[in-house]
Amino acid sequence: MEPLDSPTFCTKLFNGLLITVPGGVNSCCLMEIFYYGDARLTDLDKIMNNNLHKKIKNDSLNGIRNKACQQCWDMEDNPNTVDMSGRLHALKYYDKWMKDENSFKIELLDLRWKNTCNLACIMCDAQFSSKWLKELNKKHDFPLIITEKMKKYIYENIANFKEIYLAGGEPLQMKENIELLSKLLEINPNVSIRLNTNLSVIDTEVYKLLKQFPQENVQWNVSIDGELDIFEYVRWPGKWLDMYQNLRTLLETYDNVYCDILVNIVNCENVLLLANDVLINDLHIDPDRIKFTPLTHPVELDVRNYSEEIIEKIMKKTADFMVLHGKDNEYRSTMFMSALGLLTHMNNKNFTKDLDKTRAFLLQLDKRRNLDHKTLGTYLND
Protein backbone atom coordinates (compact mmCIF):
# COMPACT_ATOMS: atom_id res chain seq x y z
CA MET A 1 0.00 0.00 0.00
CA GLU A 2 1.31 3.43 -0.94
CA PRO A 3 1.27 5.93 1.96
CA LEU A 4 -1.43 8.14 0.44
CA ASP A 5 -3.60 5.06 -0.14
CA SER A 6 -3.80 4.47 3.59
CA PRO A 7 -6.89 6.16 5.13
CA THR A 8 -4.90 6.84 8.30
CA PHE A 9 -1.68 8.20 6.79
CA CYS A 10 -0.45 11.45 8.35
CA THR A 11 2.63 13.32 7.18
CA LYS A 12 3.12 14.95 10.59
CA LEU A 13 4.18 11.60 12.04
CA PHE A 14 7.07 11.60 9.58
CA ASN A 15 8.05 15.28 9.46
CA GLY A 16 6.56 16.93 12.56
CA LEU A 17 8.18 17.75 15.88
CA LEU A 18 6.39 19.35 18.85
CA ILE A 19 8.14 20.29 22.08
CA THR A 20 5.91 21.41 24.94
CA VAL A 21 6.81 23.64 27.88
CA PRO A 22 7.25 20.74 30.38
CA GLY A 23 9.36 18.80 27.86
CA GLY A 24 6.85 16.42 26.29
CA VAL A 25 7.68 15.50 22.68
CA ASN A 26 5.39 14.27 19.90
CA SER A 27 4.44 15.13 16.33
CA CYS A 28 1.36 17.34 16.66
CA CYS A 29 -0.52 19.48 19.18
CA LEU A 30 -3.68 17.43 18.56
CA MET A 31 -1.95 14.47 20.20
CA GLU A 32 -2.22 16.52 23.42
CA ILE A 33 -0.73 14.61 26.36
CA PHE A 34 0.32 11.54 24.36
CA TYR A 35 4.11 11.89 24.20
CA TYR A 36 6.90 9.79 22.71
CA GLY A 37 9.28 10.92 25.42
CA ASP A 38 10.55 13.71 27.66
CA ALA A 39 13.15 16.14 26.29
CA ARG A 40 14.40 16.78 29.82
CA LEU A 41 15.48 13.14 30.11
CA THR A 42 16.27 11.92 26.60
CA ASP A 43 17.96 13.41 23.52
CA LEU A 44 15.53 14.53 20.83
CA ASP A 45 17.07 12.37 18.10
CA LYS A 46 16.56 9.26 20.26
CA ILE A 47 12.96 10.20 21.09
CA MET A 48 12.04 10.73 17.43
CA ASN A 49 13.44 7.32 16.52
CA ASN A 50 12.12 5.28 19.42
CA ASN A 51 9.83 2.24 19.14
CA LEU A 52 6.69 4.07 20.25
CA HIS A 53 7.01 6.65 17.48
CA LYS A 54 7.78 3.90 14.96
CA LYS A 55 4.69 1.95 16.01
CA ILE A 56 2.41 4.95 15.44
CA LYS A 57 4.00 5.59 12.03
CA ASN A 58 3.57 1.95 11.07
CA ASP A 59 -0.11 2.06 12.05
CA SER A 60 -0.51 5.20 9.95
CA LEU A 61 0.90 3.45 6.90
CA ASN A 62 -1.35 0.42 7.33
CA GLY A 63 -4.79 1.90 7.86
CA ILE A 64 -4.80 1.44 11.65
CA ARG A 65 -6.29 4.19 13.80
CA ASN A 66 -3.82 4.63 16.62
CA LYS A 67 -5.36 6.10 19.79
CA ALA A 68 -2.65 8.77 19.92
CA CYS A 69 -4.42 10.46 17.00
CA GLN A 70 -7.94 10.18 18.43
CA GLN A 71 -8.72 13.88 18.06
CA CYS A 72 -8.36 13.66 14.29
CA TRP A 73 -10.44 10.47 14.11
CA ASP A 74 -13.20 12.18 16.07
CA MET A 75 -13.13 15.20 13.76
CA GLU A 76 -13.11 13.06 10.61
CA ASP A 77 -16.05 10.98 11.83
CA ASN A 78 -18.17 14.12 12.30
CA PRO A 79 -19.31 15.79 9.04
CA ASN A 80 -19.44 19.14 10.87
CA THR A 81 -15.77 19.02 11.87
CA VAL A 82 -14.07 16.89 9.22
CA ASP A 83 -12.56 20.01 7.60
CA MET A 84 -10.74 20.77 10.87
CA SER A 85 -8.74 17.54 10.83
CA GLY A 86 -5.05 18.29 11.24
CA ARG A 87 -4.20 15.05 9.47
CA LEU A 88 -6.07 16.04 6.32
CA HIS A 89 -4.55 19.53 6.29
CA ALA A 90 -1.05 18.08 6.62
CA LEU A 91 -1.31 15.79 3.57
CA LYS A 92 -0.05 18.67 1.39
CA TYR A 93 3.38 18.06 2.90
CA TYR A 94 3.63 14.47 1.65
CA ASP A 95 6.93 13.48 0.09
CA LYS A 96 7.99 10.17 -1.44
CA TRP A 97 10.69 9.64 1.22
CA MET A 98 7.91 8.99 3.78
CA LYS A 99 7.84 5.28 3.07
CA ASP A 100 8.32 3.29 6.30
CA GLU A 101 8.51 3.48 10.08
CA ASN A 102 12.18 4.50 9.96
CA SER A 103 11.47 7.61 7.86
CA PHE A 104 11.75 10.89 9.75
CA LYS A 105 12.97 14.40 8.96
CA ILE A 106 11.95 17.61 10.75
CA GLU A 107 10.05 19.87 8.36
CA LEU A 108 7.20 21.04 10.61
CA LEU A 109 8.34 22.43 13.95
CA ASP A 110 5.90 23.29 16.76
CA LEU A 111 7.98 25.02 19.40
CA ARG A 112 6.98 26.24 22.87
CA TRP A 113 10.29 27.22 24.46
CA LYS A 114 8.91 28.17 27.86
CA ASN A 115 5.92 29.67 29.67
CA THR A 116 6.89 33.34 29.37
CA CYS A 117 3.63 35.32 29.21
CA ASN A 118 2.35 38.70 30.37
CA LEU A 119 -1.27 37.54 30.80
CA ALA A 120 -2.95 35.15 33.23
CA CYS A 121 -6.07 34.17 31.28
CA ILE A 122 -8.76 32.56 33.42
CA MET A 123 -8.60 29.26 31.48
CA CYS A 124 -4.79 29.00 31.62
CA ASP A 125 -2.43 27.91 34.41
CA ALA A 126 1.10 28.24 35.72
CA GLN A 127 2.44 25.61 33.34
CA PHE A 128 1.75 27.84 30.33
CA SER A 129 1.92 31.32 31.86
CA SER A 130 4.67 32.88 33.94
CA LYS A 131 2.13 35.53 34.99
CA TRP A 132 0.01 32.77 36.55
CA LEU A 133 3.14 31.36 38.20
CA LYS A 134 3.95 34.72 39.75
CA GLU A 135 0.36 35.27 40.88
CA LEU A 136 0.32 31.93 42.70
CA ASN A 137 3.74 32.70 44.17
CA LYS A 138 5.04 29.39 42.95
CA LYS A 139 8.32 28.16 41.60
CA HIS A 140 8.51 25.92 38.57
CA ASP A 141 7.60 22.36 39.49
CA PHE A 142 9.56 21.30 36.43
CA PRO A 143 12.96 22.52 35.20
CA LEU A 144 13.04 24.69 32.10
CA ILE A 145 13.67 22.40 29.16
CA ILE A 146 15.86 24.66 27.04
CA THR A 147 19.32 23.16 26.69
CA GLU A 148 22.16 23.78 24.30
CA LYS A 149 21.80 20.17 23.13
CA MET A 150 18.17 20.79 22.20
CA LYS A 151 19.01 24.01 20.38
CA LYS A 152 21.78 22.23 18.50
CA TYR A 153 19.37 19.52 17.31
CA ILE A 154 16.84 22.11 16.13
CA TYR A 155 19.34 24.39 14.44
CA GLU A 156 21.10 21.49 12.68
CA ASN A 157 17.80 20.86 10.88
CA ILE A 158 16.79 24.47 10.30
CA ALA A 159 17.41 24.39 6.53
CA ASN A 160 14.80 21.62 6.18
CA PHE A 161 11.98 23.51 7.86
CA LYS A 162 8.91 24.14 5.71
CA GLU A 163 6.76 25.51 8.51
CA ILE A 164 7.28 26.51 12.11
CA TYR A 165 4.58 27.19 14.66
CA LEU A 166 5.40 29.42 17.61
CA ALA A 167 3.23 29.29 20.70
CA GLY A 168 3.79 29.54 24.39
CA GLY A 169 3.36 31.28 26.68
CA GLU A 170 3.47 34.35 24.49
CA PRO A 171 5.88 33.92 21.54
CA LEU A 172 6.28 37.65 20.88
CA GLN A 173 7.93 38.00 24.29
CA MET A 174 10.28 35.00 24.26
CA LYS A 175 13.92 35.92 23.83
CA GLU A 176 14.59 32.42 22.48
CA ASN A 177 12.54 33.31 19.41
CA ILE A 178 14.92 36.19 18.65
CA GLU A 179 17.75 33.71 18.13
CA LEU A 180 15.54 31.29 16.20
CA LEU A 181 14.12 33.92 13.81
CA SER A 182 17.56 35.46 13.27
CA LYS A 183 18.92 32.09 12.18
CA LEU A 184 15.91 31.50 9.93
CA LEU A 185 16.41 34.87 8.21
CA GLU A 186 19.97 33.85 7.52
CA ILE A 187 19.49 30.22 6.49
CA ASN A 188 15.83 29.64 5.57
CA PRO A 189 14.12 33.02 5.01
CA ASN A 190 11.25 31.62 2.93
CA VAL A 191 9.97 29.28 5.64
CA SER A 192 6.28 29.57 6.52
CA ILE A 193 5.67 30.85 10.04
CA ARG A 194 2.52 30.55 12.13
CA LEU A 195 2.23 31.94 15.60
CA ASN A 196 -0.41 31.96 18.26
CA THR A 197 -0.39 35.26 20.11
CA ASN A 198 -2.42 37.25 22.62
CA LEU A 199 -1.28 40.37 20.69
CA SER A 200 -1.28 42.45 23.85
CA VAL A 201 2.13 43.94 23.02
CA ILE A 202 3.64 44.16 19.54
CA ASP A 203 6.56 46.52 20.16
CA THR A 204 9.00 43.64 20.65
CA GLU A 205 12.16 42.39 18.96
CA VAL A 206 10.35 39.23 17.89
CA TYR A 207 7.68 41.28 16.10
CA LYS A 208 10.35 43.36 14.35
CA LEU A 209 12.10 40.20 13.14
CA LEU A 210 8.83 38.71 11.87
CA LYS A 211 8.28 41.80 9.72
CA GLN A 212 11.50 40.96 7.84
CA PHE A 213 10.03 37.72 6.47
CA PRO A 214 7.81 37.77 3.35
CA GLN A 215 4.41 38.94 4.58
CA GLU A 216 2.60 36.16 2.74
CA ASN A 217 4.65 33.59 4.68
CA VAL A 218 3.60 34.76 8.14
CA GLN A 219 0.24 33.67 9.55
CA TRP A 220 -1.09 35.23 12.73
CA ASN A 221 -3.50 33.31 14.96
CA VAL A 222 -4.79 35.87 17.42
CA SER A 223 -6.48 34.68 20.61
CA ILE A 224 -9.33 37.09 21.32
CA ASP A 225 -11.98 35.89 23.74
CA GLY A 226 -14.41 38.77 24.06
CA GLU A 227 -14.57 42.54 23.96
CA LEU A 228 -14.49 45.38 26.48
CA ASP A 229 -14.87 44.32 30.15
CA ILE A 230 -15.39 40.64 29.27
CA PHE A 231 -12.08 40.61 27.40
CA GLU A 232 -10.29 42.27 30.31
CA TYR A 233 -11.68 39.73 32.78
CA VAL A 234 -10.99 36.64 30.67
CA ARG A 235 -7.53 37.79 29.50
CA TRP A 236 -6.44 39.54 32.67
CA PRO A 237 -4.61 41.91 33.00
CA GLY A 238 -4.90 42.65 29.28
CA LYS A 239 -6.50 45.90 28.12
CA TRP A 240 -9.18 45.82 25.44
CA LEU A 241 -8.14 49.09 23.76
CA ASP A 242 -4.54 47.88 23.46
CA MET A 243 -5.70 44.63 21.93
CA TYR A 244 -8.07 46.37 19.53
CA GLN A 245 -5.44 48.85 18.33
CA ASN A 246 -2.78 46.15 17.94
CA LEU A 247 -5.17 44.03 15.89
CA ARG A 248 -6.00 47.00 13.68
CA THR A 249 -2.28 47.68 13.19
CA LEU A 250 -1.65 44.05 12.32
CA LEU A 251 -4.44 44.04 9.73
CA GLU A 252 -2.90 47.08 8.06
CA THR A 253 0.27 45.07 7.39
CA TYR A 254 -0.79 41.43 7.05
CA ASP A 255 -3.48 39.55 5.15
CA ASN A 256 -3.00 36.25 6.98
CA VAL A 257 -4.68 37.17 10.27
CA TYR A 258 -6.97 34.64 11.94
CA CYS A 259 -9.02 35.13 15.09
CA ASP A 260 -9.41 32.21 17.50
CA ILE A 261 -12.21 32.58 20.05
CA LEU A 262 -12.28 30.20 23.00
CA VAL A 263 -15.86 30.11 24.30
CA ASN A 264 -16.38 29.71 28.05
CA ILE A 265 -19.05 30.27 30.67
CA VAL A 266 -18.08 33.94 31.09
CA ASN A 267 -17.90 35.08 27.47
CA CYS A 268 -20.41 32.77 25.71
CA GLU A 269 -22.75 35.65 24.73
CA ASN A 270 -20.20 38.40 24.36
CA VAL A 271 -18.19 36.53 21.72
CA LEU A 272 -21.13 36.69 19.31
CA LEU A 273 -21.09 40.49 19.57
CA LEU A 274 -17.32 40.45 19.20
CA ALA A 275 -17.49 38.46 15.98
CA ASN A 276 -20.37 40.39 14.43
CA ASP A 277 -19.78 43.98 15.54
CA VAL A 278 -16.01 44.19 15.85
CA LEU A 279 -14.32 41.53 13.73
CA ILE A 280 -16.70 41.51 10.75
CA ASN A 281 -18.48 44.88 10.61
CA ASP A 282 -15.69 47.07 12.01
CA LEU A 283 -12.42 45.35 11.09
CA HIS A 284 -13.81 43.54 8.01
CA ILE A 285 -12.21 40.20 8.82
CA ASP A 286 -13.34 37.36 6.56
CA PRO A 287 -15.61 34.86 8.39
CA ASP A 288 -13.34 32.10 7.10
CA ARG A 289 -10.68 33.54 9.41
CA ILE A 290 -12.80 33.49 12.55
CA LYS A 291 -13.21 30.31 14.59
CA PHE A 292 -15.08 29.49 17.77
CA THR A 293 -13.84 26.66 19.99
CA PRO A 294 -15.76 25.46 23.07
CA LEU A 295 -13.67 25.36 26.22
CA THR A 296 -13.64 22.05 28.08
CA HIS A 297 -10.82 22.65 30.58
CA PRO A 298 -10.80 23.74 33.30
CA VAL A 299 -14.16 22.04 33.68
CA GLU A 300 -15.43 24.84 35.94
CA LEU A 301 -15.47 27.19 32.93
CA ASP A 302 -17.34 24.91 30.54
CA VAL A 303 -20.54 26.67 29.44
CA ARG A 304 -22.49 23.47 30.12
CA ASN A 305 -22.35 24.22 33.84
CA TYR A 306 -25.30 26.54 33.26
CA SER A 307 -28.83 25.25 33.78
CA GLU A 308 -30.59 23.76 30.76
CA GLU A 309 -32.86 26.81 30.68
CA ILE A 310 -29.92 29.18 30.31
CA ILE A 311 -28.16 26.91 27.83
CA GLU A 312 -31.31 26.98 25.68
CA LYS A 313 -31.14 30.80 25.66
CA ILE A 314 -27.47 30.78 24.64
CA MET A 315 -28.13 28.18 21.94
CA LYS A 316 -31.00 30.32 20.60
CA LYS A 317 -28.72 33.37 20.34
CA THR A 318 -26.03 31.26 18.69
CA ALA A 319 -28.55 29.88 16.19
CA ASP A 320 -29.78 33.41 15.42
CA PHE A 321 -26.17 34.44 14.83
CA MET A 322 -25.78 31.54 12.39
CA VAL A 323 -28.93 32.55 10.52
CA LEU A 324 -27.56 36.09 10.21
CA HIS A 325 -24.29 34.85 8.73
CA GLY A 326 -25.49 31.82 6.81
CA LYS A 327 -28.88 32.60 5.32
CA ASP A 328 -29.36 32.30 1.55
CA ASN A 329 -25.82 31.06 1.17
CA GLU A 330 -24.88 27.52 0.22
CA TYR A 331 -21.31 28.14 1.33
CA ARG A 332 -20.66 27.74 5.05
CA SER A 333 -17.73 29.69 6.46
CA THR A 334 -15.31 28.53 9.15
CA MET A 335 -17.08 30.86 11.56
CA PHE A 336 -20.48 29.38 10.70
CA MET A 337 -19.32 25.78 11.02
CA SER A 338 -17.50 26.43 14.28
CA ALA A 339 -20.66 28.09 15.65
CA LEU A 340 -22.43 24.87 14.72
CA GLY A 341 -19.77 23.08 16.73
CA LEU A 342 -20.69 25.27 19.72
CA LEU A 343 -24.31 24.13 19.42
CA THR A 344 -23.20 20.51 19.28
CA HIS A 345 -21.06 21.03 22.39
CA MET A 346 -23.83 22.73 24.37
CA ASN A 347 -26.28 20.02 23.34
CA ASN A 348 -23.98 17.27 24.61
CA LYS A 349 -25.57 16.08 27.86
CA ASN A 350 -22.65 13.86 28.86
CA PHE A 351 -21.52 16.39 31.44
CA THR A 352 -21.89 16.82 35.20
CA LYS A 353 -22.98 20.37 36.02
CA ASP A 354 -21.58 22.13 39.08
CA LEU A 355 -22.30 25.84 38.94
CA ASP A 356 -21.38 26.24 42.61
CA LYS A 357 -17.90 25.01 41.79
CA THR A 358 -17.73 27.49 38.89
CA ARG A 359 -18.68 30.38 41.15
CA ALA A 360 -16.12 29.29 43.77
CA PHE A 361 -13.45 29.14 41.06
CA LEU A 362 -14.25 32.69 39.89
CA LEU A 363 -14.54 34.09 43.42
CA GLN A 364 -11.06 32.79 44.15
CA LEU A 365 -9.76 34.55 41.05
CA ASP A 366 -11.61 37.73 41.98
CA LYS A 367 -10.07 37.76 45.45
CA ARG A 368 -6.51 37.41 44.15
CA ARG A 369 -6.98 39.93 41.34
CA ASN A 370 -9.27 42.46 43.02
CA LEU A 371 -11.96 41.85 40.40
CA ASP A 372 -15.68 41.10 40.51
CA HIS A 373 -17.17 38.78 37.88
CA LYS A 374 -20.66 39.74 39.09
CA THR A 375 -20.28 43.16 37.41
CA LEU A 376 -19.95 41.59 33.95
CA GLY A 377 -23.68 41.13 33.37
CA THR A 378 -23.51 37.42 32.57
CA TYR A 379 -25.94 34.63 33.40
CA LEU A 380 -23.73 33.85 36.40
CA ASN A 381 -25.73 36.52 38.24
CA ASP A 382 -29.02 34.63 37.75
Side-chain angles (χ1 to χ4, degrees), residues 6 11 24 48 68 71 82-83 90 92 105 118 132 157 215 219 248 259 278 285 302-303 308 349 351 356 362-363 375:
S6 169
T11 60
M48 299 312 290
Q71 281 214 54
V82 62
D83 291 339
K92 64 185 177 182
K105 178 170 66 174
N118 61 322
W132 258 102
N157 291 277
Q215 290 183 8
Q219 176 179 313
R248 181 175 285 280
C259 293
V278 179
I285 296 175
D302 192 313
V303 67
E308 289 304 313
K349 310 302 183 186
F351 182 79
D356 289 338
L362 295 175
L363 285 171
T375 66

Side-chain angles (χ1 to χ4, degrees), residues 22 34 42 74 79 81 115 151 175 187 199 242 286 341:
F34 192 100
T42 310
D74 290 344
T81 59
N115 70 346
K151 285 185 178 181
K175 63 181 182 180
I187 300 170
L199 208 66
D242 291 343
D286 191 310

Side-chain angles (χ1 to χ4, degrees), residues 272-288:
L272 302 176
L273 297 174
L274 166 73
N276 184 74
D277 299 349
V278 179
L279 302 183
I280 295 176
N281 292 333
D282 180 11
L283 298 176
H284 308 294
I285 296 175
D286 191 310
D288 263 334

